[in-house]
Amino acid sequence: MATSSAEKKNEEPKNRREVLNLHSKTLLKSESLYQYILDTTVVPREPDCLRELREITAEHPWAGMASLPDEVQFISMLLKIMNAKNTLEIGVFTGYSVLATALALPDDGKILALDINRKSYDLGLPVIQKAGVEHKIDFREGPALTTLDELLAEEKNKGAFGFAFVDADKFNYYNYHQRMLQLVRVGGVIAYDNTLWGGSVAGMPPDSAISERDKMIAESTREFNKAIAADHRVEVCQLSIADGLTLCRRL
């Protein structure tokens, strides 16, 4: 059915708001450039189910916790290049990045998805089910560190994962890292999200409007980045996509 001019006018403000919301979470300073990236290579190739879940997530009060579509597209391609099969995700939220991972994995691929609360995940679950990939996801509710320690108690889980994506409690990133180095195989990749924290890790002007919590997270993230840079157990690559994405290849 053709879209009327009135409907198009109604869509434009919504699309504009959506781009503004997405742009607010990226380090790119140019809104028009970010719009160009989305329009050129991201949105045209975005699966319908991912778009649907992204739009559902955008209405969530904590929508800012979600990964950005260009970041999710990058991770999806990385998984395919790696021929990843067993993955781990810490911090699930509505399941947007989990769905992207599930779509990238082979039919017998598996994702162990950990989150402290499944309420937000349940919002995205109907979309995941409709996409036909729920069988790939093992969602476990509870504190991630506890679950990770339970996994490590069994020798079979050590080195069992080819890829891990960490987007959870920033203050515990190094604690997650210590466990990831045991759970992810040699040659596998660990991805840490939000590692530039809005650029604040490089320092902010004294009069900048940044909350005390953000200052604490920025300081914690700086310490994490410093530790990772000096960690000879991994090869490190810092990407400026989204809010900062650090890739660690286990050596």
Side-chain angles (χ1 to χ4, degrees):
M1 182 182 294
T3 304
S4 69
S5 58
E7 288 175 323
K8 286 182 179 178
K9 287 181 180 178
N10 288 333
E11 286 177 2
E12 286 171 3
K14 179 182 177 181
N15 292 338
R16 169 75 172 168
R17 288 195 303 272
E18 183 178 345
V19 172
L20 283 171
N21 288 337
L22 292 174
H23 178 252
S24 69
K25 296 183 289 180
T26 178
L27 293 168
L28 279 176
K29 299 303 181 185
S30 170
E31 179 196 329
S32 60
L33 178 56
Y34 190 59
Q35 175 74 71
Y36 172 80
I37 293 170
L38 294 178
D39 290 345
T40 306
T41 59
V42 180
V43 174
R45 292 175 178 252
E46 185 178 38
D48 291 341
C49 56
L50 265 183
R51 181 180 295 108
E52 181 181 357
L53 185 46
R54 175 165 60 81
E55 290 173 351
I56 290 171
T57 304
E59 299 300 320
H60 195 287
W62 299 337
M65 291 173 56
S67 301
L68 291 178
D70 51 328
E71 178 185 30
V72 163
Q73 183 188 57
F74 169 77
I75 290 173
S76 176
M77 180 176 284
L78 178 62
L79 290 167
K80 292 172 185 175
I81 292 171
M82 294 175 59
N83 292 315
K85 188 172 181 180
N86 293 316
T87 71
L88 176 62
E89 183 154 338
I90 304 175
V92 176
F93 194 37
T94 63
Y96 177 59
S97 56
V98 167
L99 174 56
T101 298
L103 292 170
L105 296 182
D107 192 59
D108 60 345
K110 297 294 180 185
I111 308 163
L112 179 57
L114 312 181
D115 202 290
I116 193 69
N117 191 313
R118 72 170 293 138
K119 185 176 180 180
S120 295
Y121 176 66
D122 284 339
L123 289 175
L125 187 55
V127 180
I128 291 170
Q129 292 170 333
K130 187 167 61 174
V133 293
E134 184 188 10
H135 67 284
K136 301 182 185 182
I137 303 168
D138 177 7
F139 181 92
R140 299 191 191 180
E141 182 179 20
L145 289 174
T146 300
T147 304
L148 295 175
D149 286 340
E150 290 171 353
L151 289 171
L152 287 170
E154 297 186 54
E155 196 66 29
K156 66 178 183 178
N157 293 321
K158 295 180 179 179
F161 300 91
F163 178 82
F165 181 51
V166 181
D167 184 12
D169 172 19
K170 313 309 172 192
F171 297 109
N172 267 315
Y173 264 30
Y174 195 71
N175 289 325
Y176 294 137
H177 183 65
Q178 296 291 73
R179 290 156 176 81
M180 293 300 98
L181 288 175
Q182 298 178 70
L183 292 166
V184 173
R185 63 172 173 78
V186 172
V189 173
I190 312 162
Y192 296 97
D193 202 12
N194 306 117
T195 50
L196 296 178
W197 202 248
S200 59
V201 291
M204 301 293 285
D207 59 346
S208 60
I210 181 172
S211 69
E212 287 302 315
R213 178 179 177 274
D214 281 332
K215 289 178 182 177
M216 291 172 62
I217 293 176
E219 179 57 32
S220 177
T221 303
R222 271 194 293 270
E223 290 301 314
F224 173 73
N225 291 341
K226 181 179 178 181
I228 291 296
D231 192 338
H232 296 293
R233 297 170 295 178
V234 293
E235 181 179 359
V236 184
C237 178
Q238 173 72 71
L239 302 176
S240 56
I241 192 171
D243 193 28
L245 181 70
T246 299
L247 299 182
C248 297
R249 186 175 73 91
R250 188 186 164 202
L251 302 176

